[in-house]
Amino acid sequence: MKALTLTATLFTSLVLLPQASASNLEKVYGTGDPIPKPMIMNKFVEFTNARKPPELVFHARDGAPVSMNQHRGNLTLINIWASWCGPCLKELPSLDQMEKEYQGQPLAVVPVSIDEQSPDEVYKILANYQLQGIETLFDADHSMHGVMPVNVVPATYVLDGNGNIVGFVRGYLDWEDPEVAPYLDKLIAKYSAAKPQS
């Protein structure tokens, strides 16, 4: 019961944080015709205009800052998750496996924990779920919330080759579904290369 209360409290606190909106971000280019979605990608929203966020910086386990600018030239999936979120823990291994399968291609998968516990505590929880191979960054101060709404986890935000946000999916997604890879291939082809900036 205590765990349920804690989960409810954390979820409520996320919902009550000031809500960000993609509409507040600068539009940098029109994304053209949307890629036709298979049913499994129904929850994915592809923007009609790429949006320029401020530089996204999270923290490694040792506290060192890690800028998402290092992933320029890739389609980057920032997966926001929390250790108290069952669907998040279910989704992490499939994202990790997907990144391995795309090794050598312009795709980066970046898990970012919004847990308020210490990174060491989060890694202990991952180990308890046999997920000790998962590497994650941390956003304990919820800086992502100033860019996009993070009131639902898991949530995955998609960045183009210049670091602009081009889409997102909120909630659990079965990344192992056979229809995901062909759609992801099209996203990579469309967005991993640098785009002209206005």
Side-chain angles (χ1 to χ4, degrees):
M1 182 59 93
K2 186 176 180 183
L4 286 174
T5 303
L6 177 61
T7 299
T9 302
L10 288 170
F11 180 80
T12 302
S13 68
L14 287 174
V15 170
L16 295 177
L17 284 170
Q19 294 297 298
S21 170
S23 63
N24 296 331
L25 301 177
E26 176 191 355
K27 297 176 184 177
V28 285
Y29 66 87
T31 59
D33 292 334
I35 300 169
K37 294 187 285 192
M39 185 61 73
I40 187 67
M41 297 300 297
N42 194 42
K43 292 191 291 185
F44 178 74
V45 176
E46 183 181 359
F47 291 163
T48 55
N49 291 285
R51 308 283 181 155
K52 183 176 182 60
E55 182 181 4
L56 298 173
V57 178
F58 305 114
H59 292 89
R61 186 175 186 172
D62 64 2
V66 179
S67 171
M68 294 300 95
N69 287 345
Q70 72 181 16
H71 297 297
R72 295 287 175 96
N74 292 311
L75 182 79
T76 302
L77 309 182
I78 299 176
N79 179 250
I80 306 296
W81 71 281
S83 65
W84 42 264
C85 163
C88 299
L89 295 171
K90 183 178 178 183
E91 190 177 59
L92 281 172
S94 60
L95 282 164
D96 187 58
Q97 181 60 34
M98 184 178 71
E99 184 176 43
K100 289 174 181 167
E101 290 171 1
Y102 276 82
Q103 190 171 7
Q105 298 188 50
L107 174 71
V109 178
V110 184
V112 177
S113 166
I114 57 169
D115 284 281
E116 295 183 356
Q117 301 120 294
S118 73
D120 286 343
E121 286 299 315
V122 172
Y123 271 99
K124 283 180 188 173
I125 293 167
L126 286 173
N128 287 342
Y129 284 93
Q130 312 299 312
L131 300 175
Q132 54 267 44
I134 303 291
E135 295 291 330
T136 186
L137 298 177
F138 296 88
D139 188 23
D141 56 0
H142 305 293
S143 64
M144 188 67 178
H145 220 342
V147 178
M148 292 287 290
V150 189
N151 58 338
V152 173
V153 288
T156 302
Y157 297 92
V158 180
L159 277 57
D160 71 8
N162 287 338
N164 302 306
I165 301 174
V166 294
F168 66 92
V169 58
R170 298 171 76 199
Y172 172 80
L173 179 66
D174 179 6
W175 295 94
E176 295 177 334
D177 186 283
E179 291 191 314
V180 170
Y183 185 77
L184 190 60
D185 291 341
K186 292 174 185 173
L187 284 175
I188 290 170
K190 184 175 181 180
Y191 290 116
S192 62
K195 303 290 183 196
Q197 305 295 291
S198 58

